[in-house]
Amino acid sequence: MMQNPTAVVEMATGPETLAALHETLDEVWQRHDIPDGTRMSMDLAVGEIGANIIEHAGGGQSVRLRMEVTVSPTEVIATLIDDGGPSPVDLSQVELPDELAESGRGLAITLRVLDELSYRREETGNRWTLVSRLH
């Protein structure tokens, strides 16, 4: 049974989007005793996925973005939902680019710091689910 989200933020993407996502996580961290490693993993992953949504989902235009954060006794789950275009990503094929590449590390790093990362295209947009177990 899925729990109700602990925190929700919804906005049109723009210059303040990443700050709003991180402020929401900070509010969750203040209300729950979450280990530092889990906090750091989720902070990094939400920043990377949020940045990818801002940069790619709208094709240069703003999209609606909603983040739901759920805390359970064993994990933290952040779900980012946007109404942008489909992401062409295949998470099973993501790997770090060579060291001289100027971009392309975000998803690879996110996969390494999270316990689970999934992407699903839905009728109304994109759904990214980020899971970090408490450790």
Side-chain angles (χ1 to χ4, degrees):
M1 187 172 98
M2 191 66 161
Q3 286 183 273
N4 288 331
T6 303
V8 175
V9 62
E10 193 164 357
M11 73 204 86
T13 56
E16 302 301 317
T17 301
L18 291 178
L21 296 177
H22 285 291
E23 286 170 14
T24 302
L25 287 175
D26 288 344
E27 291 169 12
V28 172
W29 305 153
Q30 289 174 13
R31 294 194 316 252
H32 298 274
D33 185 23
I34 305 296
D36 288 343
T38 302
R39 289 180 190 205
M40 288 188 305
S41 294
M42 194 58 74
D43 284 338
L44 175 65
V46 163
E48 290 293 344
I49 298 300
N52 280 355
I53 291 169
I54 294 164
E55 185 175 348
H56 302 294
Q61 302 296 313
S62 180
V63 297
R64 293 293 309 162
L65 173 62
R66 176 183 174 92
M67 180 175 74
E68 300 174 355
V69 181
T70 304
V71 175
S72 80
T74 59
E75 62 193 8
V76 176
I77 301 171
T79 305
L80 286 85
I81 305 159
D82 69 74
D83 65 357
S87 173
V89 70
D90 177 351
L91 292 175
S92 69
Q93 300 297 313
V94 172
E95 50 187 47
L96 281 171
D98 73 54
E99 59 189 53
L100 298 177
E102 292 185 18
S103 65
R105 290 179 178 80
L107 280 177
I109 291 169
T110 300
L111 280 166
R112 289 188 178 181
V113 302
L114 291 176
D115 293 296
E116 294 175 39
L117 173 64
S118 65
Y119 166 76
R120 184 172 76 224
R121 177 68 184 171
E122 298 180 334
E123 191 175 307
T124 57
N126 303 299
R127 175 182 293 264
W128 296 88
T129 304
L130 295 65
V131 179
S132 185
R133 292 189 206 7
L134 302 183
H135 40 37

